[in-house]
Amino acid sequence: MNQTKQFTILLFAILLINACSKDNCDDSTKNLFVDNTYLPYIIPYSDTSTRLFLKNGTDTLLFKSQGLKETIEVQKGNDENDCRTYNLQKFSLTMTASDTDFFRISYYVDKDNTGFVQISISNLVEANPLYDLAYIKYYPPVLKEKVINVIYDTITINKNNRGDVLITKPNLGLIKVKSDKFIYELIN
């Protein structure tokens, strides 16, 4: 009877080890891409785009595009049964006025195939990542903002935990950034 119990435990342990072995995981490669139809809404700048901003109400800065970049980030699965490699597409574009005045918009997909948008300003302000649909699907109320005597509607307002505010508009891009260090406002 004792041997039967030991045999049953041994058999159960072998089955458990076999079930958790690397042989039972998916070790393929999965390529995931952003939805390119959203790209002009999220990154509406070309390789030759320029935008004029007012900084802190006094200085005029001309931001110039550094060109759209596409990269593939490689990630490994992190579940017990997910050993696959994920190739994740990412687009980014940097607009530069100087070494200390620039902004970068990134549009990327995660391994759950969800699109995200990330905006960073001069390495000082980083907005919380937003779903890509937040940039093109508007639900009541439709938000408006007045920036240098121009009223922009159907905007996206993104606030981070430090109180920084980034305001963007589809097909137009960044229209206002407010932090404790600076304010950028688009000159239309």
Side-chain angles (χ1 to χ4, degrees):
M1 180 98 138
N2 200 10
Q3 286 181 340
T4 305
K5 194 175 193 179
Q6 288 176 342
F7 178 73
T8 304
I9 291 172
L10 179 62
L11 182 60
F12 179 72
I14 290 171
L15 289 173
L16 184 62
I17 290 169
N18 191 32
C20 296
S21 73
K22 188 143 174 94
D23 295 337
N24 291 329
C25 71
D26 184 355
D27 63 354
S28 63
T29 299
K30 188 169 187 178
N31 299 314
L32 298 172
F33 303 97
V34 300
D35 188 337
N36 283 334
T37 57
Y38 297 162
L39 192 58
Y41 295 95
I42 295 167
I43 304 177
Y45 308 106
S46 70
D47 290 351
T48 59
S49 291
T50 60
R51 294 291 188 275
L52 201 56
F53 280 84
L54 187 62
K55 181 179 179 182
N56 298 331
T58 58
D59 298 326
T60 303
L61 299 175
L62 180 64
F63 286 80
K64 297 178 183 178
S65 173
Q66 303 303 301
L68 185 65
K69 310 280 190 264
E70 178 187 12
T71 57
I72 301 294
E73 181 181 323
V74 178
Q75 283 187 0
K76 286 293 254 180
N78 56 5
D79 308 13
E80 277 185 30
N81 293 330
D82 186 7
C83 307
R84 90 174 68 204
T85 300
Y86 292 89
N87 294 325
L88 308 173
Q89 185 181 38
K90 177 180 182 179
F91 285 102
S92 61
L93 184 130
T94 302
M95 297 283 286
T96 305
S98 70
D99 289 344
T100 58
D101 294 296
F102 58 90
F103 64 89
R104 179 175 301 110
I105 301 175
S106 300
Y107 178 31
Y108 61 93
V109 65
D110 69 2
K111 63 185 181 133
D112 294 325
N113 205 25
T114 303
F116 288 96
V117 179
Q118 178 74 45
I119 302 174
S120 58
I121 313 293
S122 302
N123 292 333
L124 299 172
V125 175
E126 188 163 290
N128 297 322
L130 290 178
Y131 293 111
D132 55 2
L133 292 177
Y135 281 80
I136 62 167
K137 304 277 186 192
Y138 292 96
Y139 303 98
V142 174
L143 303 174
K144 294 192 272 188
E145 180 77 14
K146 187 174 184 179
V147 178
I148 310 181
N149 296 323
V150 176
I151 296 175
Y152 298 95
D153 63 1
T154 60
I155 60 172
T156 300
I157 299 176
N158 190 342
K159 298 178 183 179
N160 65 19
N161 56 4
R162 292 190 337 229
D164 302 323
V165 178
L166 285 86
I167 302 173
T168 57
K169 180 169 176 56
N171 287 358
L172 186 60
L174 193 65
I175 58 173
K176 185 173 183 178
V177 178
K178 184 176 185 260
S179 77
D180 61 348
K181 297 179 180 20
F182 55 81
I183 296 175
Y184 291 141
E185 296 173 293
L186 180 65
I187 299 173
N188 194 358

